[in-house]
Structure formats: structure tokens, C-alpha cells
Amino acid sequence: MDGENKASLEAAIADLKHAQRVLVITGAGISADSGLPTYRGVGGLYDRDLTEEGFPIEECLSGGMFRQRPDITWKYLYQLESTARGAGHNAGHKALADMEKHFEHFTILTQNVDGFHRDAGSTDVIEIHGNIHTLYCTACGAEEWVADFSHLQEIPPKCEACKAIVRPRVTLFDEWLPEDAVARLEHTMAQGPDFVMSIGTTAGFPYIAAPMIHAATSGIPTLEINPSETEVSAFAKHPIRQRGIEVLPKLQRALQ
């Protein structure tokens, strides 16, 4: 860790030791250290303009496409899940889980659908885009948790009870965010976090950037851990240009 990053880490630790209500925002970057590719960018899973079908990946993974061509949407849902198959949480996820006991409230708002935060032991997790391991029937609502999609006999899969199409409980493009997750985020913000950190996310969605922006403009300490500049870098009191797996264990040890 270079001098500038080290100074930011030490200053962040000093602020964090005075906090009681912490909000952590995570994106694809924290799971990339588990071997998962990021979504976009160099080396990302979808770094080309169009898919084989001639559509942007966002259109293939949209609610509209699912209604019209569920086979296309499921093709890429299966591809996304297969990249995570056999992977698990890493030292960054575990460090966040271990931090919980030091605070009155410690909430993780994640865009990731891999479930790694819960697997690592975090208990207050808002999965704003859902969890790919929960499948449900679009007709009768029958639901099941699956470890992965390797057991699926056909794509798209059908409900055993009513034969309608099954899908993961994730938020596709052009769909509303889950009401319960939004309500929990609103409740967390209403309680007033006194420290906000952003890890491994470009913060391109307004509801992901908003907590950092609100905290910074309200004089609440903010920390960003990301190798690259992002939409919220200007609002980070403590910017650290490294990966979560490199920084979070150090942060956790400092709190003990």
C-alpha cells in the first residue's frame, strides 16, 4: 500500500471507530476477487457491444425480452450463473461479516446476486437486485433455493407443478426493484448512517450513488475502495485506490 492509500486508510479507521451505524455498498468488484468476471469493461463478461443475437446484453437481460423471448434471457442468466459456479465468498466478504459485531447497525447494500455476503456470515444484507439462487414459477409462484443451475433439465426451465416458465428472483433491466429491499434501504437511510463506504462499484445507478452523495453533503465520513475512479469518487472523504480483498481485512483487524 502506497503512502497516499495508507494515509486514507488510517484516517478512515479513525472515523470508523467513532461510528455506530454503518452502511456498506458493494458491487461486482468485491466478487471479482472470488474469480467472477465483472459485468462490463476490459475483461468483463460482456465487453462487446452486441450479443450473438444482435442485441445489447442489457436488452437480453431485460423484463421485456423475458416476456417475449425467455429463451434468450435464460441463455444469459445461465451464463452469468455458470461464471460463479464453484466460487465462494472471499476475504473481503468475510472481513465485512466480521465487522458487524463492532457496530450498533451494520448494513450491506449489494448489487450482486451471488449471495456471497450471506454465505460469509453477514446478517443485515439488502440484495437490491435479488439473489440468483432463488427460483420461482411465473404462474403459480412455487419457489425453491438452488445451489446452482447445473441440474436444470431444459432452458428455460418449467415448473414441475404447472409447467409455466421458472425464473430467478433477480431484477432484470426495465423491471422495478423489489419493494421489500427498497423499503429496507429507505429505513436504513432514515435511521441515519454515520459512516458510508462504497466498495467495488462504479455506482452508475442513482440509488447506489445516492447514499454516498447524501453522506458527503451532510458531513458524514465516506470511504471508497476501488482501483478506478467512479461516479462517487468526488464524494469520498477517504479514497483508497485498491481492491476490497486488499483493504477490508486490514480495516477489520484495525477495529479489533
Side-chain angles (χ1 to χ4, degrees):
M1 182 174 284
D2 62 29
E4 189 172 343
N5 284 328
K6 184 177 180 181
S8 287
L9 177 60
E10 291 174 351
I13 290 168
D15 278 341
L16 196 55
K17 286 184 175 179
H18 294 289
Q20 289 298 318
R21 299 176 305 279
V22 178
L23 174 62
V24 182
I25 305 161
T26 69
I30 193 169
S31 290
D33 289 315
S34 292
L36 277 63
T38 54
Y39 186 72
R40 284 287 195 189
V42 177
L45 192 59
Y46 302 114
D47 58 359
R48 301 187 332 182
D49 290 336
L50 300 176
T51 64
E52 295 174 358
E53 294 79 12
F55 300 109
I57 185 59
E58 289 83 0
E59 188 171 345
C60 292
L61 289 170
S62 69
M65 181 65 79
F66 181 80
R67 289 187 293 274
Q68 296 174 26
R69 290 288 306 275
D71 58 313
I72 291 179
T73 301
W74 254 104
K75 172 184 174 180
Y76 292 100
L77 286 171
Y78 190 93
Q79 188 178 90
L80 279 169
E81 187 279 327
S82 66
T83 64
R85 203 171 297 164
H89 64 270
N90 60 54
H93 297 100
K94 188 65 170 65
L96 288 174
D98 290 343
M99 286 184 202
E100 277 192 13
K101 60 180 176 289
H102 299 289
F103 303 96
E104 181 180 338
H105 296 289
F106 192 86
T107 302
I108 296 175
L109 168 65
T110 186
Q111 300 166 80
N112 301 333
V113 298
D114 49 43
F116 288 170
H117 283 298
R118 294 186 185 278
D119 292 344
S122 291
T123 59
D124 189 4
V125 183
I126 302 172
E127 294 174 316
I128 200 69
H129 293 160
N131 190 311
I132 203 164
H133 297 288
T134 302
L135 299 181
Y136 73 97
C137 175
T138 55
C140 72
E143 184 175 289
E144 67 171 328
W145 184 93
V146 297
D148 57 51
F149 294 170
S150 62
H151 71 288
L152 299 179
Q153 300 298 313
E154 58 181 335
I155 298 295
K158 304 292 195 305
C159 175
E160 292 184 4
C162 71
K163 307 307 178 186
I165 292 176
V166 169
R167 61 168 284 182
R169 196 170 289 286
V170 297
T171 305
L172 299 174
F173 288 95
D174 79 19
E175 291 186 329
W176 293 102
L177 296 172
E179 291 183 6
D180 59 338
V182 172
R184 289 181 60 202
L185 176 57
E186 290 175 346
H187 177 71
T188 298
M189 294 305 296
Q191 285 184 313
D194 51 17
F195 192 101
V196 177
M197 66 176 89
S198 176
I199 306 163
T201 175
T202 58
F205 294 116
Y207 51 89
I208 296 300
M212 283 282 286
I213 296 171
H214 172 76
T217 55
S218 302
I220 297 167
T222 55
L223 165 65
E224 182 183 46
I225 302 172
N226 202 307
S228 305
E229 294 281 327
T230 74
E231 297 292 329
V232 296
S233 293
F235 300 94
K237 178 182 179 182
H238 309 297
I240 299 179
R241 293 287 158 253
Q242 288 188 287
R243 306 191 332 266
I245 199 170
E246 299 170 324
V247 179
L248 291 170
K250 296 176 182 177
L251 199 61
Q252 191 272 328
R253 287 194 295 270
L255 293 174
Q256 292 187 348

